[in-house]
């Protein structure tokens, strides 16, 4: 029911003084106010409730009876309002309460308050329930005064209570409160929409998420990733509880999977370390510009080496082809080896958007499920790569070896090359093993690689041949292969090491700050101790245990494992940022330009990049371990109790019976706790007893093969 304002503010205030509904506060109320039959309001479970005073209870309390006949014992201080009586009546009955409330409710319209507020604000006058009833309804009957009281007491915008009256707020305060309430309402609507979308997603419906949903989902994601260490653990648990979900981090993970936001095998290591998996949109535009309109060449004339036969040798799945090999026969009959390294600096500049993104990523990350490149694949596998049959930009390292395999002469120059063959390692191995004379250059490269390896070993190089397994996941199918040592792999590895020595020598001779890599000399077991160990994995594992981590600095130093007095990685500039830095430095010096990285800047960048590279390595290891455990788990589920042959290669903590085992067929390394005495080098047959890839946990138990059991039965029968 709409209210009618009186036209005369003066008459309103004159009448307002004759209040028939007195506002009670703890400061003004006294025990003697309440009498039998008085209708009062008090709070019951936080809500206003009307009841009639029936009788005193003790010295101070009163028993009140509400419309349903329910009794309530309260102290007078709990009374909020006393309802006045009309002329001719002095009290109420509980049976009258419901009708009284219904009559008052017809007048409770919050929209009326704004009109009254504007008038009272202009007159700078406060309001009471009685004065507001006169202003709004031109009447001060008990039910209308009660309606006015409810309007004032429930108002959060226009009036502020001061004692037994209400003062109108200023216009600025009202505007601020209205904005706040509108924001809260919008937030509530957002939340309700979010919860509705969640329920739809959990029911299997297709959901189009709103931008406002992202912060709430990220709270759950961080909890699923970090568990108790999440700073928003409580908020995540509250949200999960509201959705009738379990409050554990594992439940949060399952919740995200159920919504389709995460995969069943979501890479948590990748998410925890916040390695970017997508490139910013603006980089796509930049890549398109570069491909359509290549930047101006800064090198001047490149050496034209397109006449050379160039072999690129990689795994079949490799997309970034960053090195090629050539062998040139000189007029005097000597062989000049060429190692051509892809030249991505032809396409980017230091501190441009592509360089900045590459520095942030610092390395290409190789995972069983795919590759996360340092550069967008459109460039990395396109113009940056050495593509068969195309004229490509390279930084070419020419070298003549001495008879003993040491470097006799070398040169470095920006070049143009035209790769002749795109070979896999299997292709190259077959050519080498068959001795294909039509590819005599490849055979010569292989022979020089062997000479080179022999020389490095004479210089103290340490050769470790532990198995390396490659895990690939394609359409949820897991395959594991051991990378066998082969002629072509050793050839390519030796040529890359040779390139690193040449780059480091050039940097040292010309005092160029480069990201030199060094490794301190390890303290290896004595020859006698090593000879007591089984040759192969067991002995190599013992040697590896003694190896120290390599270090990177701008000062050349010995690399013990490689047997080199100086070394600098420059062979993967498409995939490692430190290699890219080396290219920038070398090319600038070759053309006589200022070096782009100063001796002050480079160590800082190296330190930053090294930290990021370490994070990437940890993600690669953890992801590989996840899928290795998942593979073994699936094998056990398909063939319960499946046996695996392993070798115990060394103790980790012998006093705790913890040793390192290698699966002979898979090349996988795991820790195993033994329940009996075993020897290093002992071969065992084991089976999986528990596997949880998400927790990176796997346990094994030793099994006795059926043949052993059969022999035992035969012996028992014979006896």
């Amino acid at each position: 029911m709409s209210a009618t304002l009186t036209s005369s503010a003066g008459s309103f205030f004159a009448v307002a003084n004759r209040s028939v509904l007195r506002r009670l506060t703890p400061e003004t109320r006294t025990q003697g106010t309440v009498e039998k039959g008085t209708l009062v309001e008090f709070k019951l479970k936080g809500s206003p409730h009307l009841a009639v005073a029936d009788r005193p209870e003790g010295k101070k309390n009163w028993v009140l009876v509400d419309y349903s006949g329910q009794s309530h014992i309260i102290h007078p201080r709990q009374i909020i309002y006393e309802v006045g009586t009309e002329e001719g009546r002095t009290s109420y009955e509980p049976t009258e309460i419901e009708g009284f409330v219904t009559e008052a409710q017809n007048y409770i319209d919050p929209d009326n308050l704004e009109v009254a507020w504007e008038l009272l604000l202009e007159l700078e006058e406060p309001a009471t329930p009685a004065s507001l009833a006169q202003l709004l309804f031109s009447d001060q009957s008990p039910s209308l005064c009660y309606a006015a009281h409810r309007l004032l007491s429930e108002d959060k915008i226009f009036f502020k209570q001061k004692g037994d009256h209400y003062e109108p707020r200023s216009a600025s305060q009202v505007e601020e409160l209205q904005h706040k309430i509108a924001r809260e309402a919008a937030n509530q609507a957002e939340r309700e929409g979010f919860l509705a979308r969640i329920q739809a997603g959990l029911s299997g419906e297709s959901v189009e998420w709103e931008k406002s949903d992202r912060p709430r989902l990220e709270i759950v994601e961080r909890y699923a990733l970090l568990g108790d260490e999440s700073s928003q653990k409580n908020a995540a648990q509250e949200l999960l509880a509201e959705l009738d979900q379990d409050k554990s981090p594992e439940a949060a993970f399952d919740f995200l999977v159920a919504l389709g936001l995460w995969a069943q095998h979501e890479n948590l290591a990748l998410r925890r370390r916040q390695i970017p998996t997508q490139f910013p949109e603006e980089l796509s535009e930049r890549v398109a510009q570069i491909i359509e309109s290549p930047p101006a060449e800064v090198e001047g004339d490149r050496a034209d080496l397109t006449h050379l036969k160039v072999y690129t040798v990689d795994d079949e799945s490799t997309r970034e082809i960053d090195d090629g090999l050539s062998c040139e026969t000189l007029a005097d009959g000597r062989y000049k080896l060429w190692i051509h390294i892809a030249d991505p600096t032809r396409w980017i500049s230091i501190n441009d958007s592509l360089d900045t993104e590459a520095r942030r990523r610092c390395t290409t990350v190789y995972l069983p499920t795919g590759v996360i490149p340092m550069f967008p694949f459109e460039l990395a596998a396109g113009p940056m790569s050495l593509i068969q049959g195309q004229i490509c930009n390279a930084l070419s390292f020419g070298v003549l070896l001495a008879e003993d395999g040491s470097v006799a002469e070398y040169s470095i120059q920006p070049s143009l090359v035209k790769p002749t063959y795109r070979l896999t390692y299997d292709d190259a191995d077959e050519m080498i093993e068959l001795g294909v004379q039509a590819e005599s250059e490849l055979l010569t490269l292989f022979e020089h690689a062997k000479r080179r390896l022999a020389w490095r070993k004479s210089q103290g190089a340490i050769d470790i041949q532990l198995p390396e397994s490659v895990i690939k996941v394609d359409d949820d199918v897991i395959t594991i292969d051991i990378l066998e040592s082969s002629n072509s792999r050793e050839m390519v590895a030796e040529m890359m090491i040779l390139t690193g020595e040449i780059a480091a020598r050039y940097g040292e001779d010309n005092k160029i700050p480069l990201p030199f890599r060094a490794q301190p000399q390890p303290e290896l077991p004595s020859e006698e101790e090593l000879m007591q160990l089984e040759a192969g994995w067991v002995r190599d594992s013992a040697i590896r245990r003694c190896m120290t981590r390599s270090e990177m600095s701008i000062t050349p130093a010995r690399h013990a494992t490689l047997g080199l007095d100086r070394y600098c990685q420059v062979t993967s500039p498409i995939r490692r940022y430190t290699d890219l830095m080396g290219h920038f430095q070398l090319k600038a010096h070759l053309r006589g330009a200022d070096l782009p990285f100063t001796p002050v800047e480079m160590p800082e960048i190296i330190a930053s990049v090294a930290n990021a590279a370490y994070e990437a390595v940890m993600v690669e290891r953890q992801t590989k371990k996840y899928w290795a455990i998942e593979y073994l788990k699936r094998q056990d589920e398909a063939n319960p109790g499946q046996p695996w042959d392993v070798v115990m290669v060394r103790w980790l903590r012998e006093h705790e019976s913890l040793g390192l085992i290698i699966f002979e067929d898979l090349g996988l390394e795991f820790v195993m706790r033994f329940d009996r005495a075993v020897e290093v080098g002992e071969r065992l047959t084991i089976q999986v007893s528990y596997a949880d890839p998400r927790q990176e946990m796997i346990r094994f138990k030793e099994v006795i093969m059926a043949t052993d059991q059969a022999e035992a039965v035969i012996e028992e029968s014979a006896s």
Side-chain angles (χ1 to χ4, degrees):
M1 181 180 295
S2 63
T4 304
L5 290 174
T6 59
S7 59
S8 171
S11 63
F12 155 65
F13 286 109
V15 175
N17 291 325
R18 302 192 303 273
S19 175
V20 294
L21 177 58
R22 184 160 62 84
R23 171 73 171 92
L24 299 177
T25 66
E27 292 79 7
T28 61
R29 187 183 302 117
T30 64
Q31 181 182 358
T33 302
V34 182
E35 296 178 357
K36 181 176 174 60
T38 303
L39 181 59
V40 300
E41 182 186 79
F42 65 100
K43 286 289 182 71
L44 180 64
K45 296 182 180 180
S47 300
H49 199 68
L50 285 174
V52 175
D54 183 62
R55 63 187 183 277
E57 177 76 12
K59 293 183 178 180
K60 296 182 179 180
N61 295 338
W62 271 83
V63 175
L64 307 182
V65 180
D66 62 20
Y67 72 95
S68 65
Q70 180 70 38
S71 297
H72 305 272
I73 300 174
I74 67 168
H75 191 281
R77 284 197 301 268
Q78 295 175 261
I79 296 175
I80 300 171
Y81 288 97
E82 288 182 13
V83 177
T85 55
E86 296 179 287
E87 188 174 349
R89 64 176 299 170
T90 58
S91 64
Y92 291 88
E93 294 294 332
T95 55
E96 298 179 86
I97 296 175
E98 194 168 8
F100 178 85
V101 171
T102 300
E103 183 179 354
Q105 195 68 41
N106 291 331
Y107 290 86
I108 301 176
D109 183 356
D111 291 341
N112 290 330
L113 272 181
E114 186 170 2
V115 179
W117 165 75
E118 290 177 352
L119 179 58
L120 293 173
L121 180 64
E122 182 180 350
L123 297 172
E124 298 181 352
E125 292 289 346
T128 63
S131 63
L132 184 65
Q134 183 64 39
L135 177 62
L136 294 178
F137 315 125
S138 301
D139 193 350
Q140 292 182 322
S141 66
S143 60
L144 296 183
C145 287
Y146 180 68
H149 146 66
R150 290 291 300 277
L151 285 171
L152 288 169
S153 63
E154 294 175 5
D155 171 53
K156 305 298 182 185
I157 300 176
F158 299 106
F159 294 91
K160 181 178 182 180
Q161 185 177 351
K162 287 287 187 70
D164 59 355
H165 62 277
Y166 294 81
E167 292 184 353
R169 287 188 170 97
S170 67
S172 61
Q173 289 175 324
V174 167
E175 183 178 7
E176 182 179 349
L177 286 170
Q178 287 175 326
H179 280 307
K180 179 182 178 182
I181 291 172
R183 285 196 305 270
E184 290 174 350
N187 291 339
Q188 181 61 24
E190 277 185 3
R191 182 174 181 80
E192 290 174 357
F194 169 71
L195 295 176
R197 287 186 287 277
I198 289 288
Q199 294 295 355
L202 293 176
S203 300
E205 299 178 25
S206 177
V207 176
E208 185 173 344
W209 299 100
E210 301 288 338
K211 185 177 180 180
S212 59
D213 297 334
R214 194 63 238 161
R216 295 185 177 95
L217 293 171
E218 286 175 353
I219 290 173
V220 182
E221 288 178 350
R222 281 193 288 272
Y223 180 51
L225 285 172
L226 305 175
D228 291 340
E229 296 180 8
S230 171
S231 60
Q232 295 181 303
K233 169 187 171 182
N234 292 337
Q237 289 184 335
E238 288 175 6
L239 180 57
L240 291 169
E242 188 173 358
L243 294 164
D244 295 326
Q245 304 290 315
D246 188 78
K247 296 191 293 185
S248 67
E250 294 77 17
F253 180 96
D254 294 335
F255 170 73
L256 294 166
V257 172
L259 289 176
L261 296 171
W262 282 9
Q264 182 63 46
H265 298 288
E266 191 72 22
N267 193 325
L268 299 186
L270 193 66
R271 284 185 171 273
R272 287 190 187 106
R273 297 179 186 272
Q274 298 182 330
I275 292 178
T277 58
Q278 302 294 328
F279 286 95
E281 288 186 15
E282 57 267 23
L283 279 190
S284 298
E285 299 176 5
R286 178 60 184 149
V287 169
Q289 292 174 357
I290 289 174
I291 293 175
E292 182 178 348
S293 180
E297 174 69 84
V298 298
E299 304 304 327
D301 293 333
R302 288 177 175 267
D304 188 350
L305 302 180
T306 55
H307 62 284
L308 294 175
K309 184 185 289 186
V310 178
Y311 303 92
T312 65
V313 187
D314 287 282
D315 287 309
E316 187 174 358
S317 60
T318 301
R319 296 176 61 185
E320 303 158 304
I321 311 298
D322 53 12
D323 59 80
L325 305 176
S326 298
C327 180
E328 180 182 15
T329 304
L330 302 181
D332 59 7
R334 291 185 299 167
Y335 295 108
K336 185 174 186 179
L337 311 179
W338 287 97
I339 304 98
H340 312 288
I341 307 301
D343 184 11
T345 65
R346 166 68 180 86
W347 307 95
I348 65 172
S349 301
I350 291 178
N351 294 327
D352 70 6
S353 57
L354 283 163
D355 174 65
T356 301
E357 182 67 17
R359 187 181 303 182
R360 183 169 77 99
R361 292 169 176 257
C362 84
T363 185
T364 292
V365 182
Y366 294 92
L367 304 175
T369 50
V371 176
I372 304 174
M374 187 173 78
F375 286 111
F377 269 129
E378 294 85 350
L379 277 181
M384 285 183 175
S385 281
L386 303 183
I387 301 175
Q388 179 182 357
Q390 297 184 16
I391 295 178
C392 306
N393 297 274
L395 186 62
S396 294
F397 296 75
V399 59
L400 281 82
L401 294 183
E403 281 298 319
D404 64 355
S406 62
V407 175
E409 300 176 26
Y410 73 86
S411 64
I412 307 175
Q413 52 196 315
S415 65
L416 295 174
V417 298
K418 189 176 182 180
T420 314
Y421 296 114
R422 164 74 165 92
L423 302 178
T424 66
Y425 287 110
D426 289 340
D427 295 335
D429 282 332
E430 186 175 0
M431 290 180 180
I432 293 170
E433 290 166 8
L434 293 176
V436 179
Q437 291 303 310
E439 303 303 333
S440 59
E441 296 91 342
L442 184 66
L443 302 180
T444 303
L445 284 164
F446 173 64
E447 291 301 321
H448 279 71
K450 289 197 297 183
R451 186 192 310 174
R452 180 72 186 160
L453 176 58
W455 176 81
R456 285 198 304 108
K457 286 184 176 180
S458 72
Q459 302 301 304
I462 302 170
D463 188 23
I464 300 177
Q465 296 291 331
L466 284 170
E468 181 181 354
S469 58
V470 175
I471 304 177
K472 293 185 179 180
V473 181
D474 188 10
D475 287 335
D476 202 43
V477 176
I478 310 170
T479 57
I480 301 181
D481 296 307
I482 297 180
L483 281 184
E484 301 286 353
S485 178
S486 72
N487 291 331
S488 63
R489 289 185 185 277
E490 291 182 1
M491 175 188 70
V492 171
E494 282 303 321
M495 292 298 110
M496 298 306 106
I497 294 170
L498 174 59
T499 305
E501 183 188 3
I502 295 170
R505 180 178 291 192
Y506 185 86
E508 184 178 35
D509 292 345
N510 294 281
K511 297 180 173 55
I512 305 172
L514 293 172
F516 295 99
R517 187 173 287 278
Q519 185 183 44
Q521 187 69 35
E523 295 184 10
L524 298 177
S526 66
E527 188 70 21
E528 182 180 353
E529 290 175 305
L530 287 176
M531 292 307 294
Q532 291 176 357
L533 298 173
E534 180 183 328
W537 293 352
V538 175
R539 189 178 298 172
D540 286 346
S541 182
I543 294 174
R544 184 183 62 180
R545 185 179 190 178
C546 302
M547 305 304 292
T548 55
R549 288 184 61 180
S550 62
E551 303 165 349
M552 196 176 293
S553 74
I554 62 171
T555 303
R558 180 170 173 77
H559 196 295
T561 299
L562 298 180
L564 299 176
D565 291 334
R566 64 199 66 79
Y567 180 66
C568 176
Q569 284 182 312
V570 293
T571 57
S572 295
I574 302 177
R575 299 184 280 186
R576 285 193 300 256
Y577 191 79
T578 50
D579 295 40
L580 185 70
M581 292 172 67
H583 275 236
F584 274 123
Q585 295 289 85
L586 291 171
K587 288 179 61 181
H589 188 270
L590 287 168
R591 66 175 180 267
D594 292 336
L595 297 178
F597 300 106
T598 69
V600 175
E601 294 171 328
M602 182 163 275
E604 296 177 357
I605 299 174
I606 288 175
S608 174
V609 170
N611 288 335
Y614 174 77
E615 295 292 315
V617 168
M618 293 305 298
V619 167
E620 289 178 342
R621 289 178 181 174
Q622 290 172 338
T623 305
K624 181 178 178 180
K625 183 176 182 181
Y626 176 97
W627 286 106
I629 296 174
E630 177 67 18
Y631 176 85
L632 293 173
K633 178 184 176 184
R634 292 185 186 184
Q635 293 297 312
D636 186 65
E637 290 171 346
N639 304 288
Q642 176 173 338
W644 298 96
D645 293 328
V646 301
V647 180
M648 205 287 266
V649 293
R650 66 180 172 89
W651 287 111
L652 297 175
R653 293 195 295 272
E654 188 172 1
H655 65 284
E656 296 180 20
S657 298
L658 283 180
L660 186 68
I661 59 173
I662 295 181
F663 283 66
E664 293 191 274
D665 294 335
L666 303 174
L668 299 174
E669 290 184 317
F670 283 104
V671 176
M672 179 173 174
R673 186 184 300 277
F674 301 96
D675 55 9
R676 68 172 180 87
V678 297
E679 299 292 332
V680 172
E682 186 174 344
R683 281 166 170 75
L684 307 92
T685 300
I686 65 170
Q687 62 184 208
V688 175
S689 61
Y690 175 80
D692 184 348
R694 199 183 299 171
Q695 299 298 321
E696 295 186 7
M697 292 180 59
I698 187 166
R699 290 194 288 269
F700 309 99
K701 63 181 179 181
E702 189 177 3
V703 296
I704 300 175
M705 296 302 293
T707 54
D708 297 332
Q709 294 173 341
E711 290 173 1
V713 170
I714 291 171
E715 290 176 2
E716 185 178 347
S717 299
S719 62

